[in-house]
């Protein structure tokens, strides 16, 4: 009787011990890393990706290119101010053409000079720079065409004996808005530039 009881007790213990071992920390199954360690590894990986993206966004340029871009930005700002002044003159002058014609002549000259400076900048860009900025360059070409159309409309209106000052003011304000958009493209390019 005692032998049977001992055998039964051993059988039960052998069945229970593996289950208890699986339930204890470190027993059975695969070892899992602490959650804190996993979070640190994930954050480190994300930070590494962010650094790589910032490095890729940086575009190497020469000091001359940076200076030329800033000169272009200044020219665009001058045109923006001239367009604003023309809009104010047109509102005050009504159909008096001479004050508006004088300002429009100056605006046209400034616009032509800005285009020349912009062309010099574009010609200085290396193929990899043009590729990196191709979307901005495309937008700037669209803005240039729109600004040219506004300026031509002003000049066409001033060809009349009694030009419509309201029409000229509207076109001048639109040109001012376009020059602001043009400057924004330059300034985003400047942010991406890195000069050794």
């Amino acid at each position: 009787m005692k032998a049977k009881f001992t055998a039964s007790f051993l059988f039960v213990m052998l069945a229970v011990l593996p289950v208890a071992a699986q339930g204890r920390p470190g027993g059975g199954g695969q070892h899992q890393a602490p959650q804190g360690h996993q979070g640190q590894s994930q954050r480190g990986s994300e930070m590494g990706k962010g650094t790589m993206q910032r490095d890729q966004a940086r575009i190497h340029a020469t000091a001359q290119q940076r200076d030329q871009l800033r000169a272009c930005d200044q020219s665009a700002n001058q045109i923006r101010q001239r367009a604003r002044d023309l809009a104010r003159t047109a509102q005050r002058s009504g159909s008096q053409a001479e004050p508006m014609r004088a300002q429009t002549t100056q605006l046209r000259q400034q616009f032509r000079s800005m285009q020349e400076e912009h062309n010099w900048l574009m010609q200085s860009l290396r193929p990899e720079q043009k590729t990196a900025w191709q979307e901005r360059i495309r937008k700037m070409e669209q803005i240039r065409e729109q600004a040219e159309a506004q300026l031509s409309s002003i000049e066409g209106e001033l060809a009349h004996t009694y030009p419509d000052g309201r029409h000229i003011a509207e076109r001048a304000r639109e040109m001012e808005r376009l020059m602001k958009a043009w400057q924004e493209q330059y300034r985003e390019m400047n942010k991406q530039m890195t000069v050794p």
Side-chain angles (χ1 to χ4, degrees), residues 33-193:
Q35 292 183 356
H37 180 71
Q38 289 180 339
Q40 291 176 0
S41 300
Q42 185 176 1
R43 287 194 296 271
S45 176
E46 290 174 353
M47 289 175 65
K49 289 180 181 179
T51 301
M52 289 179 62
Q53 291 174 351
R54 287 193 296 271
D55 290 342
Q56 291 173 354
R58 304 298 291 177
I59 298 171
H60 295 283
T62 64
Q64 184 178 7
Q65 286 176 327
R66 181 192 58 195
D67 293 343
Q68 181 64 31
L69 187 146
R70 290 176 179 175
C72 290
D73 181 52
Q74 290 176 359
S75 293
N77 190 57
Q78 290 173 359
I79 294 173
R80 184 179 166 189
Q81 292 175 351
R82 287 190 182 279
R84 186 187 304 124
D85 292 342
L86 176 58
R88 291 172 179 169
T89 300
Q91 288 177 329
R92 291 195 305 264
S93 300
S95 60
Q96 296 180 12
E98 288 310 312
M100 293 184 287
R101 283 174 182 153
Q103 285 184 291
T104 302
T105 298
Q106 293 176 346
L107 183 59
R108 168 58 75 181
Q109 291 173 348
Q110 190 73 42
F111 189 71
R112 188 179 295 115
S113 296
M114 187 201 70
Q115 289 185 88
E116 291 176 356
E117 290 179 349
H118 178 74
N119 290 338
W120 292 338
L121 175 62
M122 293 297 104
Q123 290 169 7
S124 75
L125 297 181
R126 299 187 301 276
E128 63 269 22
Q129 291 174 316
K130 290 181 179 179
T131 300
W133 282 325
Q134 61 181 350
E135 184 61 22
R136 296 200 182 282
I137 293 171
R138 184 187 66 80
K139 286 182 180 178
M140 294 182 82
E141 180 59 24
Q142 290 179 342
I143 294 170
R144 187 200 64 78
E145 291 176 354
Q146 293 171 11
E148 172 66 38
Q150 299 302 320
L151 184 52
S152 296
S153 179
I154 292 171
E155 292 170 332
E157 184 62 33
L158 286 170
H160 300 149
T161 304
Y162 300 104
D164 184 352
R166 185 176 60 180
H167 173 84
I168 293 172
E170 290 173 354
R171 303 282 73 75
R173 282 193 292 269
E174 179 61 16
M175 192 168 183
E176 179 188 356
R177 185 192 67 79
L178 289 166
M179 286 298 99
K180 181 180 179 181
W182 180 281
Q183 282 186 281
E184 287 172 357
Q185 299 303 315
Y186 276 143
R187 290 172 182 179
E188 287 301 317
M189 291 170 69
N190 188 54
K191 287 179 184 178
Q192 290 180 304
M193 274 188 174

